[in-house]
Amino acid sequence: MDKKVLRFSITAALAGFLFGFDTVVISGAEKTLQAIWQSSDSFHGIVVIGMALWGTVVGALLGGIPTNKIGRKKTLIWIGVFYTISAVGSAFANDPITFAIFRFIGGLGVGASTVAAPTYISEIAPAKDRGKLVGLYQFNIVFGILIAFFSNYLLNGIGENAWRWMVGVEAIPAAIYTVMTFGIPKSPRWLLSKSRFEEAREVLVSINPTSNIDQLLEDVKTENQNTIPGENIFIRKYRFPLMLAFLLAFFNQLSGINAFLYYAPRILEEAGLGASTALLSSIGIGVTNMVFTLIGIYLIDRMGRKQLMYIGSVGYIISLSLVACAFFLEWEGMAVAIFLFVFIAAHAIGQGSVIWVFISEIFPNHLRSYGQSFGCSVHWVLAAIIPSSIPFLFSSIGPGIVFSIFAFMMVLQLLFVIFMMPETKGISLEELSKRLSP
C-alpha cells in the first residue's frame, strides 16, 4: 500500500474521530444538563439531545452539494471548522437553546463528514485496499467514541462545570484536524468528473504511480460519455444502488446502535448497575467496539463485505434477543452489560465496518457524493428519530419490548443480506458502476 495514500486516508478519516467523539460525549453530560435546566423528558430528548442529531440530518442531506460543487477536500476543511465552533460554543452555553444551536452546528459537521470522508477515501484508494482504507473512517469513529467515554469518566468528578469541559475539550482535536486537511490533495475522481484531466493525472501520478492511469482515465471518459446531462440518482437506471443504500442505512439504525450509544449509562443503570459502574462499563463498550472494528477492517478486503454482514446479523439477533430477555425476566447486574458487549461486537464487525465502505462504492463517480448523501440521510433521519424517542419508549412500553423490536428488524436485515446484497470486494469503482447501473 502506498504510504501517501495511507497518510491522506488517515487524515480524511480523522473526521470520523470527531464524529464519534461529538456523538457520544453528550452521554456523560445529558443527565446533568436535564437536572440543571429542569427539562422534561420530551424537551430534553428532542431539543437538548436531538438538535445535534437534526443538524446531522441536515448535514447529510445537503453534504452532497458542497462535496460535489467545491470538492471533497474543501468540504473536509469546512467540517473541521464546524466541529471547532460547536465545541467552543457548547462549552460556554448557559441555556438549553444556545447549547442546542451550537450542538446543531456540530451535527452539520458530523452529517457532512459521513458524505465527504468516505467518498474522498474511496476515490484515492486502490481497489484491493479500498475496504480497509475507507474502514479507517469507521475505526476513527469508534476510537472517538472510546476517547469520549474515557474523557467523560475522567472529567466526571471535577465539579459542577464538568459538563462544560466534557463538551468543550473536542475543540483541540477539531482544530488540529482542520489544519491537517490543508495538506491532502484533491480527489482525482472528483477532478475527472469535472473534466480536469491533467490535474487528475498529476494527483494520480503522485499518489499511485504504479496504477494503470491511462486505463483509468479512459474508463472515466467512457463513463462520462454515457451519462445524461442533468441526471440524478433517482432515475430508473440507479434504482438498484439507491435501494441498496437505503436498506443498508435503514437496518443500521433499526439495530438500535445509536440509541444505545447515546444512552449507555442510563440503560445500564436501568439494568441495576450503579451510576459510576454504568459509566465505567461504557468505557468497556468503547474498547469492545474498537477491537472488533479493527477485526472487521482486517477482514473486509479478505472475506468481503457480504460475509461480514452475515456474521454481524447473526450476532445482532442473538445479543438483542438476550438483552430483551434480561429486561423481561429481570436479570440484574452484569448480564445485561455482557449481552450489550456482544451486541457492540456484532455491530462493529458487521454494519459498523461495512456501511460507509459499501455506500461509497455503489454509485458512479459523477453521482457518488449525492448517492453517499442519500444513504447517509436515511441513516441520520432514523438516528435522530430513534434515540430522541428512547426516554419516552423506555418509560411507556419498557426496554424489553424496545430491544425485541430491534431483534426482529435484524432478522429482516439477514434476509436482505442473503437475497439482495452484492459483493463489492476488489472491484474497481468504474466496474461496479457498470454492474450495478447497466
Side-chain angles (χ1 to χ4, degrees), residues 284-304:
I285 288 156
V287 172
T288 305
N289 202 355
M290 192 170 76
V291 169
F292 280 88
T293 296
L294 279 171
I295 294 170
I297 291 169
Y298 175 77
L299 294 174
I300 194 166
D301 285 320
R302 290 170 170 82
M303 294 178 66

Side-chain angles (χ1 to χ4, degrees), residues 380-412:
W380 286 116
V381 166
L382 292 170
I385 293 170
I386 296 169
S388 297
S389 61
I390 283 294
F392 169 75
L393 289 172
F394 273 20
S395 61
S396 56
I397 63 175
I401 293 175
V402 172
F403 282 105
S404 297
I405 293 167
F406 291 150
F408 172 71
M409 296 310 298
M410 292 305 93
V411 174
L412 299 183

Side-chain angles (χ1 to χ4, degrees), residues 134-145:
V134 180
L136 288 172
Y137 179 72
Q138 177 64 18
F139 168 76
N140 273 280
I141 293 172
V142 299
F143 185 50
I145 288 169

Side-chain angles (χ1 to χ4, degrees), residues 316-326 328 331 339 403-404 407-408:
Y316 273 146
I317 293 163
I318 294 168
S319 58
L320 287 166
S321 299
L322 286 170
V323 172
C325 288
F328 283 130
W331 300 339
F339 300 152
F403 282 105
S404 297
F408 172 71

Side-chain angles (χ1 to χ4, degrees), residues 95-132:
D95 63 88
I97 300 301
T98 304
F99 182 83
I101 289 168
F102 280 108
R103 289 286 294 163
F104 180 86
I105 292 169
L108 292 174
V110 171
S113 84
T114 59
V115 178
T119 298
Y120 177 84
I121 300 168
S122 74
E123 291 181 343
I124 66 168
K128 65 182 178 62
D129 297 317
R130 191 173 59 239
K132 66 173 74 75

Side-chain angles (χ1 to χ4, degrees), residues 82-93 102 167-172:
F82 278 29
Y83 278 131
T84 308
I85 292 169
S86 171
V88 174
S90 299
F92 285 99
F102 280 108
V167 298
V169 74
E170 183 187 352
I172 298 167

